[in-house]
Amino acid sequence: MQRHQVPIPLTTASVPKQASTPHVVAIASGKGGVGKTWFSITLAHALASNDTQQRILIVDCDFGLGNVDVQLGLHHKYDLTHVLRREIPIEEAIVPVKLHNDGAHSTNRIDVLPGHSGSSTLRLLQPDSLRSLLEQIRDLGDYDVILLDLCAGIDWSSRMIAAAADTLLVVTTEEPTALTDAYAVLKLAVRDRRQDGYTTPNAWVVINQASGSRSGQATFDILNQSCKRFLSFSPHLAGVVRKDRRVSEMIRRQSSFLGTLPTSNTATDVLRVARQLVADTFPALVN
Ligand SMILES: Nc1ncnc2c1ncn2[C@@H]1O[C@H](COP(=O)(O)OP(=O)(O)O)[C@@H](O)[C@H]1O
Ligand SMILES: [Mg+2]
């Protein structure tokens, strides 16, 4: 078996999406610490905000080291481990999030399906249980968009989730190590799709923590050139999100970045990504 080969068929991707079902987005990175979880939460906030008003579910798919709940300061009784152990129906693990700040971007249109940090249940996840979980998540009818915040790396579970999603969003920074890992994620996603007999994935890239819009665009160009040259495939640029040292402060305070600093460059960048995705990749959601 090749090193990166997925040992199971990626069947969920074969189910055509119906107009009424939510649009499922897998948020992946390769390298850890690039800002996937922060971006997932902030993108959810942007999509749910007054601009686009989508109903969003964030699922913490960082099996083993989930921290969406920590970044949001959520208190909850149940999480994905209870769902996987079949102790509760999936709906009971869902926690509503209220991002009420003074800014224009207050919302109560976001729910979270929390993960669990350090649980052996999630570490012992099997392909069948993951496939069943993804089907249950997709069947949750009340959402426009479901964001799956993945763990770093290219293990079978991340690849299976990426293959099952309608859209793959790869987050990277400008660092060469992060870029190399982002390329690996894209390469495997392309391979997995082709191996299953499909066309290339609907893959988008976010350059996060960019030092500027231009350098972020240049970083994307480098990644795109490699994809074109070696994979005969071009991901789309979802956007460049500039670095702001206050991101870390907001995470420490468990405060919403978009709600607290709605006019900052970084918030504006994430809002632009949300609009771009709604217009170009979730067209079924636009009335
Ligand atoms: N746009 C940004 N500007 C500045 N710092 C950021 C930005 N995005 C993320 N970060 C920093 O990156 C750290 C890691 O973010 P996190 O969402 O936990 O990454 P991941 O989920 O990819 O491991 C955060 O604690 C934050 O300090
Ligand atoms: Mg994370």
Side-chain angles (χ1 to χ4, degrees):
M1 185 181 290
Q2 274 176 283
R3 193 165 139 253
H4 295 314
Q5 205 170 338
V6 177
I8 41 163
L10 304 170
T11 49
T12 331
S14 63
V15 181
K17 197 174 114 56
Q18 287 160 21
S20 58
T21 58
H23 192 98
V24 178
V25 183
I27 301 183
S29 70
K31 188 173 188 291
V34 295
K36 268 182 319 299
T37 301
W38 173 81
F39 178 76
S40 301
I41 292 169
T42 312
L43 176 67
H45 199 174
L47 287 166
S49 75
N50 298 341
D51 274 13
T52 48
Q53 302 211 350
Q54 310 287 317
R55 275 199 50 83
I56 312 295
L57 174 70
I58 307 173
V59 185
D60 195 337
C61 293
D62 190 340
F63 301 121
L65 289 172
N67 59 10
V68 172
D69 53 347
V70 179
Q71 284 207 21
L72 282 164
L74 284 187
H75 298 284
H76 53 89
K77 189 170 170 194
Y78 299 120
D79 57 51
L80 278 174
T81 56
H82 300 95
V83 180
L84 283 164
R85 290 200 299 262
R86 297 174 189 266
E87 289 170 8
I88 50 159
I90 193 166
E91 289 83 359
E92 262 184 59
I94 291 174
V95 189
V97 182
K98 282 228 182 314
L99 292 173
H100 42 76
N101 291 285
D102 359 310
H105 300 292
S106 302
T107 178
N108 55 5
R109 285 185 285 270
I110 302 173
D111 288 347
V112 168
L113 192 44
H116 190 115
S117 196
S119 163
S120 53
T121 305
L122 291 176
R123 287 252 195 82
L124 295 173
L125 190 74
Q126 295 294 316
D128 280 348
S129 50
L130 178 57
R131 190 176 296 115
S132 156
L133 180 68
L134 291 171
E135 278 163 13
Q136 290 178 66
I137 289 169
R138 209 180 253 282
D139 284 347
L140 290 166
D142 291 345
Y143 301 100
D144 298 308
V145 179
I146 297 181
L147 301 176
L148 309 175
D149 177 27
L150 303 193
C151 60
I154 46 172
D155 73 343
W156 68 267
S157 65
S158 295
R159 290 176 65 184
M160 189 171 164
I161 296 169
D166 301 309
T167 295
L168 172 64
L169 201 69
V170 179
V171 180
T172 178
T173 63
E174 296 176 323
E175 286 176 18
T177 45
L179 211 54
T180 308
D181 292 354
Y183 173 78
V185 170
L186 288 163
K187 180 174 92 177
L188 293 173
V190 169
R191 238 190 232 173
D192 291 341
R193 292 283 294 182
R194 287 180 180 155
Q195 191 174 294
D196 277 3
Y198 297 101
T199 53
T200 46
N202 180 24
W204 294 71
V205 172
V206 171
I207 310 294
N208 187 34
Q209 306 191 42
S211 46
S213 303
R214 254 196 229 161
S215 69
Q217 175 70 52
T219 302
F220 172 75
D221 292 342
I222 293 168
L223 179 60
N224 193 24
Q225 267 164 25
S226 297
C227 289
K228 276 204 263 191
R229 182 157 170 216
F230 301 112
L231 307 175
S232 307
F233 156 79
S234 270
H236 311 283
L237 177 62
V240 173
V241 177
R242 281 166 282 183
K243 192 179 188 110
D244 188 325
R245 56 182 172 72
R246 293 170 297 182
V247 166
S248 145
E249 188 191 327
M250 292 299 125
I251 292 176
R252 264 203 315 278
R253 285 168 36 187
Q254 294 177 319
S255 296
S256 150
F257 188 86
L258 208 64
T260 313
L261 299 161
T263 55
S264 62
N265 287 339
T266 299
T268 309
D269 292 340
V270 178
L271 285 163
R272 195 178 298 119
V273 172
R275 276 195 296 273
Q276 163 92 344
L277 290 174
V278 168
D280 285 356
T281 198
F282 317 154
L285 303 179
V286 182
N287 293 318

